[in-house]
Amino acid sequence: MGAKFPVKVIGIVIVILSSLQQVKAAPIDEKPQFPCKAPHNSYPFCNKSLGIPTRSQQLVSLLTLEEKIRFLCNNFSGIPRLGIPPYEWWSESLHGIATNGPGISFSGPVKSATLFPQVLNSAASFNRSLWFDTATAIAVEGRAMYNSGQAGLTFWAPNVNIFRDPRWGRGQETPGEDPFLVSSYALEFVKGFQGENQSDAGLLMLSACCKHFTAYDLENWANFTRYSFNAVVTDQDMEDTYEPPFKSCVQQGKASCLMCPYNSINGVPGCAKGDLLQKVRKDWGFKGYIASDCDAVATIYEYQYYVKTPEDAVAEALKAGVDINCGTYMLYNTQSAIGQGKLKEGDIDQALNNLFPVLLRLGLFNGDPLNGMFGRLGGKDVCTKEHQRLALEAARQGIVLLKNDNFLPLNKDHVSSLAIIGPGANSTSYLDLGGGYSGFPCNAKSYVEAFQPYIKKTNYVKGCLNVDCESNSMFDEAVHVAKVSDYVILVVGLDLTQETEDKDRVTLLLPGKQMDLVSLVASVSKKRIILVLTGGGPLDVSFAEGDSRVASILWTGYPGEAGGKALAEVIFGDYNPGGRLPMTWYPESFTQIPMNNMNMRADPSRLYPGRTHRFYTGEVVYEFGYGLSYTNYTYKLLSAPNTLKLIFKTSASLRKLYETEVGIGYVPTDEILSCDIVRFNVQLSVMNAGHMDGSHVVLLYSKASSTIEGAPRKQLIGFSRIHTTAHRSTDMSFSVDPCEHLSFANEHGKRILPLGEHILMIGELKHSLLIDM
């Protein structure tokens, strides 16, 4: 979603911002408005015995052209003659009900909502059930707020773009850099948010929207802005990096909405790129609506200069497959586009017949929603103890221990005093704890507040005026408390002043003089210090990793309202950390790579090292999937096949077998007779060899031994978070689909499966698998 808008579209901004102000100022009815109540309940579209397509078509048939056009704007104004009230399509729920969308108001009986960890933090848990449970809890609170007249039913989350470049200001909103991980998150979030048993035509609790389709991962870098950026993406990268999360959203998650982006893709604005937008319906089976980002239809003309008039922009978007415009460009320009012969009324009808079924599945035309399936939900279901416990558990599981020289956990009985230093350490602001797209939390506690129940004598100083840390004027007081305190915890890193929507970073180093603060405090403290890193984007903290005076480093990201308590529990040993990094942490030298280069694969001839753990060939600070624990784990393979025999659809497939220079071939996955019959399990035993129980993330990678050009260096093909008991082993298994998990895209964007040896890797454990024909 676009929270900030291009300058040229200022008229649109005024309209949308005015609607935001109206939502905040208007009195709350404490009950949602809804259609199909007497005397307007006899229309066919109100008849629940009819099929949803029929009801949608009946509604379209009753509308005038002017009324149809009203539905093309997120801020729908209503049709009084049919008893259809106004409706705001734009609500946000990335990691809790957020204030960003005008569909949300915290001015009614519900004053706050559970603020879960930012998405990148949740991804660090590598826990599918946690993602599902979190999305379900957010949906319950969203429905409850709708029933209180404080929210809509259509939410524009999740953000499932790939965290391609560490400088991206919105990488924090995503599940990370790996398409398998992001796809898995997308599936669980959509299922949990819309309702576990929902189908394409079934009832929805709420509508989820996977955004931004696709190749959107640049805000404002150098001379490039998201409003005009042209993402040049190869067919190969599109197929096995950028598209998989959205395909998972649609095919497995059954998402009811997709959002197209501001940026262009290979020269065509994302919201005018019909081949992509039609592909999701024809090839992926998408049944839902496509919304533009705000105001991505306007940028087609105003920023990308792809067309000559506003009417052309509207026509291009609608014909490409966009069904609704966040903003007013369609509202103001569709009528004239039809008058100029650039659109037909049937184009609008098609859009409405994509929009209306979603509203019907949400029960909006079924009468009083308080009498419906979800009508019992209300204020009592928001900020519940259960949801706050879940937020705490999510925060715990997302904390990543990056360094620990036999220092943590601390024994609170052996700590006489504690210094907490850092500009955001005593903050409960969304800038520090929430991250982008946050709401008003139920009961947020700062890091300082969370440590006080453990250690009565705590000394807090900021060290820097703010996260920018442009001056060392407050260093003296930091030095003083470090000298007089028994232990020191230093909280530094990023907040939303450094990385956010419309703002990318230019460096991977700690902001301002933070590095100097860390080194100075470490040099004067009685004991080695604990360094806590906040924010979403990766940081080059090589100096601290190599400094023996820095005993431990933890990444907390944006941990949500319970992040302070979760960190205190980890540091004092009430919780054994098990989070893993969902993105690569690169050295500062990575910033020499142009952010506008979308290529994932390395190109040695151009000194281009590639991106993400799958293709990057350079040095790292911390690798993807890295994370320590207070205990040690070993793996033992119990069973896995040594060979797999592929069966092809026809003998002609043999002639399609490509040969590489070294004579090892590959086969297109669509030529394999049945992928189901070659699926296999990898069973292993995980031994907790330490003295502390804990949950542990097991990561399964694969690597093809062949030298096929464009092959990933390795691929994540399985992950699971399991609970382990000290000094005991736990058995587990992974299911592997070779066609999906061991394949990648060739230069033509076609999935291929290498023949020959594949290496399966779990930690230091390796297993050879031969795939033959």
Side-chain angles (χ1 to χ4, degrees), residues 15 68-77 87-89 323-331 355:
V15 171
K68 291 176 181 178
I69 292 172
R70 287 188 217 170
F71 277 103
L72 302 181
C73 172
N74 66 285
N75 190 9
F76 168 63
S77 59
Y87 179 74
E88 176 57 67
W89 287 79
D323 302 309
I324 189 170
N325 173 211
C326 177
T328 57
Y329 224 61
M330 285 186 176
L331 184 67
L355 288 167

Side-chain angles (χ1 to χ4, degrees), residues 49-68:
S49 67
L50 298 177
I52 284 179
T54 300
R55 295 173 72 185
S56 175
Q57 292 160 9
Q58 287 291 329
L59 176 52
V60 172
S61 71
L62 294 173
L63 301 174
T64 66
L65 176 59
E66 186 272 333
E67 289 170 339
K68 291 176 181 178

Side-chain angles (χ1 to χ4, degrees), residues 667-717:
V667 64
T669 55
D670 58 9
E671 293 292 344
I672 298 173
L673 180 62
S674 175
C675 290
D676 289 338
I677 61 176
V678 291
R679 288 182 179 175
F680 63 90
N681 291 328
V682 175
Q683 296 181 317
L684 66 149
S685 175
V686 180
M687 168 61 75
N688 181 335
H691 301 286
M692 192 172 183
D693 295 354
S695 61
H696 178 60
V697 174
V698 184
L699 303 176
L700 173 64
Y701 293 94
S702 73
K703 177 183 179 181
S705 295
S706 63
T707 56
I708 298 173
E709 185 175 355
R713 297 175 68 244
K714 65 177 180 178
Q715 297 194 92
L716 179 69
I717 64 171

Side-chain angles (χ1 to χ4, degrees), residues 121 399-400 402-403 432 447 489-494 510-511 514 518 530-545 550 552-559 567 581 585 621-622:
N121 286 73
I399 291 175
V400 182
L402 298 173
K403 177 182 179 180
D432 302 290
Y447 295 118
I489 298 174
L490 194 51
V491 182
V492 297
L494 307 174
L510 289 171
Q514 284 190 22
V518 173
I530 300 164
L531 183 63
V532 176
L533 301 174
T534 64
L539 292 162
D540 183 349
V541 289
S542 304
F543 79 99
E545 174 64 28
V550 179
S552 302
I553 305 175
L554 302 102
W555 176 70
T556 59
Y558 296 104
L567 177 63
L581 291 179
W585 282 34
V621 179
Y622 298 114

